[in-house]
Every structure is written in C-alpha cells, then in structure tokens.
Amino acid sequence: MKNWMLCLLGVFFTFFLVAQDSLDEKIVSKIHIEIIGETSDVSIIKSSLTTKEGSPFSQIDFDTDLKKLSKKFDRVEPEITSQGNTITITIKLWTQPIIKEILWVGNEKIKTSTLQKELKITPMKTFHRSSFNKGIQRLKEYYVKKGFFESQIHFTTQRNKENNTIVVTIHIKEGSSGKIGKIVFKGFTKEEKKEIKKEIATSEYNILLSWISKKGILNKDYLERDQLTIVNYLQNKGYADAKVDVQIYQEKEKTIIQFTAHRGILYRIGKICIDGYSLLEENLLQQQLLIHTGDVFSPEKLRMSAQNIKDLYGKNGYIETQVLFDAILHEGEPLYDISFHIEESEQFRIGMIRIYGNTTTQSNVILRESLLVPGEIFDMRRLKATQTRLENIGYFKNVNVYAVHSTEPFQEGKNYRDVIIEVEETTTGHFTLFAGFSSLNDLSGGADLTENNFSLGGFTKIFSQGLSSLRGGGEYVRVRAQFGTKQENYVISWMTPYLKDSLWRLGIEGSLTRSKLQSKNYKLKTYGFTLTSSYPINYIWTYGMRYRLRDDRTDVSNSANEDLEKLEDSKGVISAVGAYLNHDSTDNPYKPRIGFRSNLEGEYAGVGGQFEFAKTSFINTVYHPIWPKATMKYRGDVRFIEPLGKRDKDKIPLAERFFLGGENSVRGYKPYIIGPRVQGEKKTPLGGISTALLSVELSQEIIPIADIFAFFDAGSVSLKHFSIPKLNTSYGVGTRIEVMRRMPITFGIGFPINPTHKSDVQNYFFSMGTQF
C-alpha cells in the first residue's frame, strides 16, 4: 500500500511540474536511475522499462513502468524535467530493506521459538511486506487452532535508512484460551442434558483425544447453531416460547460455557381435524399422525405428520397432493388446535425414465438400481429409495431423482409423470500405498489398486477409446500386493454384482501366497483360483456356490522329524466345490452395534486334484447394545475337515488346516500356537482338522473413532475327527482407534488362563495399519 501511495504521489508531482505543458509525444532525452541501498545493475532496470531514451514519451507507459518498479523496490520517486520538445526523467529507487531483528511482544502462553517456526521468516532476509502479511496470517491461524479465538496480532516496523535495515516488532494480544473446560446446563433435567449433548457440536476438551477429534475448542459459529438446536429441542418438548441464553466465562484458564433455559409455558395439543380428503379413508390418515389430543405441542412432529400424510398419498400415485397445516392458539389457554387441509391430486403412473449426466457410467448400471418401472402406479417411496440406492453405490458425487410432466403420449384416460435421474460422476478408482505393524506379521506394507465402476467389456474398445473404456460397467476389480517380514500375498479379483442385469453375483479371484506365519519351520507357498456366485434371497439372506482350485507347494524344514515328514508329503492340487448360506442383519458393515451375522458353508474337495476331504464351517457373531455406546459381541465358530478316500488326517495340506491364537482369535496367546505340536518341538504347531472359537467382548465407545474393550476368549484345535477336547481360554482389555480414513490401531493385553506351555503366552498384542 505504501509503495502504491508513493507512486501516485510521484505521478501527481510529475503532472504538477508540467501542468502548463503536455508531455505526451515529447522525446525522452535522458533517463537517470538513482539507487539507494544495495547496488543493482542500472542497465537491467532501464531495459525493463517500456519508456526508452530517444522515444516519444507516453504517460500511460510511464505509469505502467512505475507500477512494475514499485513491486521490486520498497520506495519509488520519479521526477520529470521538460526543456522544449525534450524531457529528462530521474527515478530514485530505494531497495527492499534487510530484516535486522524480529521482536516478539505479548506472547506469554506460546513460546517465541514455536511462533518463529510458524512465521517462516527469519532475520537477515529481505523484507517483503506481502510475504510478512502472509506470515502474520499463519500466526493468527495457529492461535485459533490452539483455541485462542480472541487473539489479535499485528506488526510495526522501524527502518534505518543509513544501512537499509529494518526491525520488525510483532505485537500479540493472546486473549483467553478457547479450550472448553466445562459445559454447564442450567434449567435442564439430567435426561435432557444427555440428549442435548448428542445433538450439539460443542463439547468439552479432552487432553488425550481432542488433538485427534479436533473437538473441545470454542467455535462461536458452532455455538450459535447449538443455541438454535437447543431452542428447537425445547420447543419440540412443548415450550413454544422457549429461549436459551449462552454465557462464556473463564475459570482457571479454561473456558466455561453455560446454556440457560427459559422455558416459558408448556403448550399442549387440543383438537385435531383433517379436511379436504375423499380418496383415502380418515382412519388411514389418522394413523399417519404423530400427535394426539393432550400431547405436548411439537412443531417437528407436526411437520412429520403432514409429511407422513403426503407420503401415504404418494405411495398410491397421488404424487402432487399437498398437505397444509396450521396451529391455532386458544385465547388465554396454552392449547393449540391443529388443522390439516389436504389438496388431493390425480393419480399418476410412471412414464419414461430419462438419465442425464452419466458421461462414464452405462445407463443400464443406473437403471438396475432403480425401483421404478414404467407403466406402474407412481410410488414416491420408491423414487426416494432409488435416489438413496444411487447415492450409496459410490459412483456419483451428486444424485437427483424427481418427477416431471410427460413429454410422450400414453394411454388415454391415464396420467403419467416421467422420472428424471440426474447424476454427476465422481472418481471411482483408488490407488493406495499402505504400511503397518502387528504382533502377528511384524512390519508389512504394499499397494492396493481398486476400481469400483469397472467394465470388463471395455477391453474390446481400449484401442479406439483408450483406458476410459474400462470404466462405467458397474463391476469391481482389485489388484493388491502385500509384503511383510513373515508373509507375502498377491491378489487379483473381479466381481459383477448384477450378472447379465440379474440379481446373481459372479466373482473371480487369483492369488499367490508365501507365508511363514505359522512357524519358522514352514514355508507355505500356494497358488489359488476361486470362482464364486451368489444370489440375495432378501436383504439379509444370501446363498451362493463356490469352486476353488489351489496348488499347495509348502516346504518343511527338518523333515527328518516324523510329523514334519508327513507334512512334507502333503503337497499337491486341491479342487473343491461348495455352497454357503449367509445371514447379515447388522446395522453397520464396519462398526455394528446390533444384529446377527452367520455363515454356514459346506465344501467337497475331490473334483479332480490329489486330495479328497469334506470341510464344513458354521460362523456366528451377535451384536447387542447394553447401554448408550456400549456393545456386547458374542462370537461362536466351529469348523471341521473330514478326510475321505485313502487320505488320512496327517496328509491334509498345511494350508488347509485350522490354527488359533493371537490377536485375531484367542488373544494373549502366541499366533497360531493353540493345538497339537510337532513332536519334540513345542513351538511348532501342527494345526488341526477340528476347531472351535468362542468369544465375548464388551466394547465401549469413548469418541466416534476410539473404543475400549474387555474380552474373554476360548479356542480349541484338534487333529481328531469332530472333536473339541480342550478349550484354551484368556481374558483381557484393549483399545481401538481409527484415524486417517479408517486407519486401524489396536492395542491390548491378554492373560491366558490355562496355556498348554508357558512359552505359549504372549500377553501384549498390537496392530497398526495406514495408507498414504
């Protein structure tokens, strides 16, 4: 700003000197450049000017030259002398000063060294006002981040013209800390406090968790919205005149927020009447109401009741029906009479379905998510469900589904409305690098490439349309490579959720695994191929079939041992077919709180290959909430392998056997250690053909990304047929934290109750994975 003012003064001064003469078109005889401060090459400066010696003078060009110079120099003073038809130009330039020192005043709660790092400008550097302003903005943002919302920061300068240096003083008024020490609710019941805390964004600062959740810091915008939220809460409790005061005060360097309720009179509902209807019966309309005579007055329930009536009409095709409502206050009495007025519409059927915006996704992929069928009676519930389904598949940034007047002629005597589906595409491919550490696999890492909207048929068009032809088919493809100190795994898989636009799913997977997880004596190496198809019976039941081909090339060291020698002989190809029935009624696929998951599977190996056996498994998990944010998880698994033909139990391949122990099964034990051992080597498990796993876990959510849990685990592995001879048990506690896009961190301690050997114990378990 200072430079611009100097330039304007210079231009004004120039015009003042030549007020009687016009300078334009006069010849520039000489340009003098005087530099004050650090030496600069005058010839370079002259060459950068549009105004040239020996050329006609242009006031517009000269103004442009001054603006350019003001950006490179701290101060610019021009002077023009006119003699006849010629002019002489003198320009004095002051170079940018050097920062001699940066002084800090007023910062008591944050160290100067910390602020200096945030400023990112140090002494003995050239002073640029614009750069320093950006540094001050960074300081302001840092103070806000630390909770000092009342902080004020500015800077002053003191310049030494003799040596062209400058001393910058940064003045800080920190104000009070914005860390919320306590939220006080005055005039609320205990139950109301619990409910309101769930609804508002403001929360108390937690020294352990707030740095992750970013909560607990005073935000006045959030506070204003929370105030309105609480007012609405009280109004829906019947206090239509409710007001809420908010007070902010300090107590021992902590911010205290107090919400005070002024409830006013409690209002109730008087008479309720409905008019304007003829198409539906009154008792059906009454069933849609969420309010009744004598109930406390609730604006929210009133609006929802009107919407329920409208949805009832919309379900039966009367999609343009309007439902109006009014609340009339009794004079001198805290009662509201409620009236609903219905403006019924004609019945409509579904006309054409038109899709717009799908530049990549094929139209049939969108239509198969639609629950609307042309010619059927219009059902608004299905229209809303169609929009929800399209939003949930993850192919689109925005989805809008709505009805419009039909543009095509249809059957006489019937009304139609077309359906418009507008979508905006989003990225559906993801490339992820990941790394982690666990007590099971030590260090691990790898890469994961997925495409959720893949098109296998696009390979035929790849030369004409490029790689974009491989997107838009609604299929799923994944390529994953994982490397660890004990295991390597490579997987490529493809799946279509609607085979030939039917409800059948079809999936193919190929894999290569090298593993030493079970023991240092084993080097498992398997090549696998799996073909899976499934069909949803309804939204919780699914049945499917699977074909599996596996080539087991496991190497066993110290094969002189009799047990290990038998394992060395159990190599070869496994060819198996199976069927399964799956049930899933949980409320969330990632973090369920209620519901039941169960999988019953049977498999026969012997369709070709070198092995013949039957495998069965029954896996069950029940989730049950026991109090707010606390979930009890019950797990019960049984699995069996029955050798058939000439093979006995000792010749079942190692990769097919069951192992238990470690962080994913019976915690507190070493990974895979439970069950029979190699003779003479108690640290080398043999695995088994019969296994059972039981677990009870109580999980308590602290914040949405952090839980603590307590558990009791029990597991058994046996080489006997359909036998569960002994359960190894343990108990313990732990914590789970998810940060950075579902990065899981689990830490816990388990205490074995009846380990077979003391060396089986591994109390601490830990796992961490991330992606970047």
Side-chain angles (χ1 to χ4, degrees), residues 272-276 289 291 301-303 305-306 309 323-326 338-342:
I272 301 174
C273 67
I274 305 174
D275 61 45
L289 301 182
I291 54 174
K301 288 185 178 181
L302 185 58
R303 289 190 294 269
S305 296
I309 295 174
V323 180
L324 308 176
F325 61 89
D326 195 13
I338 308 299
S339 64
F340 292 94
H341 177 68
I342 301 172

Side-chain angles (χ1 to χ4, degrees), residues 106 213 255 343 408 564 569 681 767:
S213 65
T255 298
E343 297 177 359
E408 300 289 339
L564 295 176
D569 293 337
E681 296 191 27
S767 67

Side-chain angles (χ1 to χ4, degrees), residues 3-4 7 45 47-52 60-74 76 93 96:
N3 289 338
W4 281 104
C7 288
I45 297 174
S47 65
S48 68
L49 301 177
T50 305
T51 304
K52 304 290 184 183
I60 295 175
D61 290 345
F62 191 60
D63 289 345
T64 302
D65 290 335
L66 293 179
K67 291 177 182 178
K68 289 180 181 179
L69 292 172
S70 67
K71 294 179 180 180
K72 297 180 179 179
F73 293 88
D74 189 56
V76 179
L93 303 173
Q96 300 281 10

Side-chain angles (χ1 to χ4, degrees), residues 428-443:
T428 53
H430 304 278
F431 177 72
T432 304
L433 298 175
F434 58 89
F437 176 81
S438 73
S439 51
L440 179 64
N441 195 24
D442 296 340
L443 290 173

Side-chain angles (χ1 to χ4, degrees), residues 235-237 269 288-292 295-308 325 338 340:
Q235 289 177 345
N236 288 319
K237 290 283 187 179
I269 293 174
Q288 309 308 310
L289 301 182
L290 301 177
I291 54 174
H292 305 88
D295 289 351
V296 296
F297 176 72
S298 169
E300 182 180 8
K301 288 185 178 181
L302 185 58
R303 289 190 294 269
M304 291 173 65
S305 296
Q307 186 61 48
N308 287 349
F325 61 89
I338 308 299
F340 292 94

Side-chain angles (χ1 to χ4, degrees), residues 527-554:
Y527 298 89
F529 170 81
T530 304
L531 178 66
T532 305
S533 64
S534 63
Y535 188 90
I537 302 171
N538 52 38
Y539 72 100
I540 60 175
W541 286 98
T542 302
Y543 72 87
M545 296 170 287
R546 182 181 291 116
Y547 172 73
R548 186 167 62 95
L549 184 67
R550 172 182 279 182
D551 186 5
D552 188 332
R553 302 184 182 182
T554 299

